[in-house]
Amino acid sequence: MSLSMYEASIPVLARMLGNLSNILKKAEANAQARGIDPKVFIDSRLAPDMYPLARQVQVVSDMAKGCAARLAGVDVPSWADTESTFEELQARIAKTQAFLKGIDAAQLDGSEDRTVVLKMRSGDLSFRGRDYLLGFALPNFYFHLTAAYAILRHNGVDVGKMDFLGGV
Amino acid sequence: MSLSMYEASIPVLARMLGNLSNILKKAEANAQARGIDPKVFIDSRLAPDMYPLARQVQVVSDMAKGCAARLAGVDVPSWADTESTFEELQARIAKTQAFLKGIDAAQLDGSEDRTVVLKMRSGDLSFRGRDYLLGFALPNFYFHLTAAYAILRHNGVDVGKMDFLGGV
């Protein structure tokens, strides 16, 4: 055994949220430079039946706080999904990062075998902690993070892979 | 310590590659049903300066075999990136999965602290194994996997989040 549940989750989520924040800053500057109403980016989608940028960012936040809370065995904070400006999305990311910061590494000890239950429309879904992290929380987190990035690239925002990775 | 480097990498990569294979099968069937030349999907991009579908799949494969090989301390297999049909992309995925299957869990023992060196155009990049996995290989893998999926959704292919996750 070589990785702690903590290091495989919280610092990864926190770092990628920081990258998302920087990407959104570049998107806001790009809208300003091109004389585009920021709402155009905020409401943009890759397909009519995919989420727009604002919702993608909210779900990234939900996946991060849900993962951290469930693995730590604390209540998942419930936040209204009302963000509709870059400023509000930045605040949502900052709030998510503050929540992650409040989780102590020791709270995740043993979470690999803790039972995690997700309330879905279709009923309860039960996972072992390790399967929840590796097979649900991280894939979902990366999915919505990449979708947010791709919406902006699709709209001509000058971000690149290094912005996504946050440097290597 | 609660997760092995093996379980945080190989089975995750293998499972997501299987999901990608299923998504590409649905895309091929969708092209056929709509009377669209499959090349339209294969060459489709989300932005002029992003990779088309075929290249996204090749990079997903590269990230998976590179991650597995480097953590196991074996040579990364070098494959020509010549796939230009759904059949060839499926073969590339199958070849990648076969390579992953050939890696034994014991080969990754201790890889969390093994030094991984990436040859980049800008010079050598050196990581500890754990940072390579969590901060480079997995984010890149998910990035290109999601990009492939998003290209197809953008083109109206009827895949959904459950196809991406492979069921939960």
Side-chain angles (χ1 to χ4, degrees), chain A residues 1-9 12 15-16 45-50 59 63 108 110 112 120 125 127-128 130-131 133-136 138-140 142-144 146-147 149-150 153-155 157 159 161-162 164-165 167-168, chain B residues 1-9 12 15-16 45-50 59 63 108 110 112 120 125 127-128 130-131 133-136 138-140 142-144 146-147 149-150 153-155 157 159 161-162 164-165 167-168:
Chain A
M1 294 305 170
S2 46
L3 291 173
S4 70
M5 286 291 285
Y6 182 83
E7 74 177 312
S9 58
V12 172
R15 177 183 168 175
M16 297 303 296
R45 305 166 191 260
L46 290 175
D49 54 354
M50 288 183 84
V59 181
M63 288 296 157
L108 267 69
E112 63 275 16
M120 310 288 273
L125 264 182
F127 299 85
R128 280 191 315 164
R130 64 182 69 229
D131 301 322
L133 174 63
L134 298 173
F136 185 88
L138 288 178
N140 262 305
Y142 279 118
F143 178 95
H144 293 284
T146 305
Y149 170 96
R153 282 293 295 275
H154 183 63
N155 278 280
V157 173
V159 289
K161 173 69 82 58
M162 283 304 118
F164 181 84
L165 293 175
V168 289
Chain B
M1 295 305 170
S2 45
L3 291 173
S4 69
M5 286 292 284
Y6 181 83
E7 74 177 314
S9 57
V12 172
R15 177 183 168 175
M16 297 303 297
R45 305 166 191 261
L46 290 175
D49 55 354
M50 288 183 85
V59 181
M63 288 296 156
L108 268 68
E112 63 275 17
M120 309 289 272
L125 263 183
F127 298 85
R128 280 191 315 165
R130 64 181 68 227
D131 300 323
L133 174 64
L134 298 173
F136 185 88
L138 287 179
N140 262 305
Y142 279 119
F143 179 94
H144 293 283
T146 307
Y149 170 97
R153 282 293 296 273
H154 182 64
N155 278 281
V157 173
V159 288
K161 172 68 82 59
M162 283 303 119
F164 181 84
L165 293 175
V168 288

Side-chain angles (χ1 to χ4, degrees), chain A residues 112-139:
Chain A
E112 63 275 16
D113 294 318
R114 194 170 292 161
T115 299
V116 168
V117 177
L118 291 188
K119 307 262 169 217
M120 310 288 273
R121 264 163 278 172
S122 49
D124 284 2
L125 264 182
S126 186
F127 299 85
R128 280 191 315 164
R130 64 182 69 229
D131 301 322
Y132 167 72
L133 174 63
L134 298 173
F136 185 88
L138 288 178

Side-chain angles (χ1 to χ4, degrees), chain B residues 78-144:
Chain B
S78 177
W79 298 335
D81 294 317
T82 51
E83 295 84 3
S84 64
T85 65
F86 278 109
E87 192 182 349
E88 289 168 357
L89 290 174
Q90 292 288 358
R92 172 73 175 250
I93 292 171
K95 193 162 62 163
T96 311
Q97 286 178 310
F99 179 74
L100 297 184
K101 212 164 177 178
I103 303 283
D104 192 79
Q107 290 177 266
L108 268 68
D109 286 350
S111 63
E112 63 275 17
D113 293 319
R114 194 169 293 160
T115 300
V116 168
V117 177
L118 291 187
K119 307 262 171 217
M120 309 289 272
R121 264 163 278 173
S122 49
D124 284 2
L125 263 183
S126 186
F127 298 85
R128 280 191 315 165
R130 64 181 68 227
D131 300 323
Y132 167 70
L133 174 64
L134 298 173
F136 185 88
L138 287 179
N140 262 305
F141 177 79
Y142 279 119
F143 179 94
H144 293 283

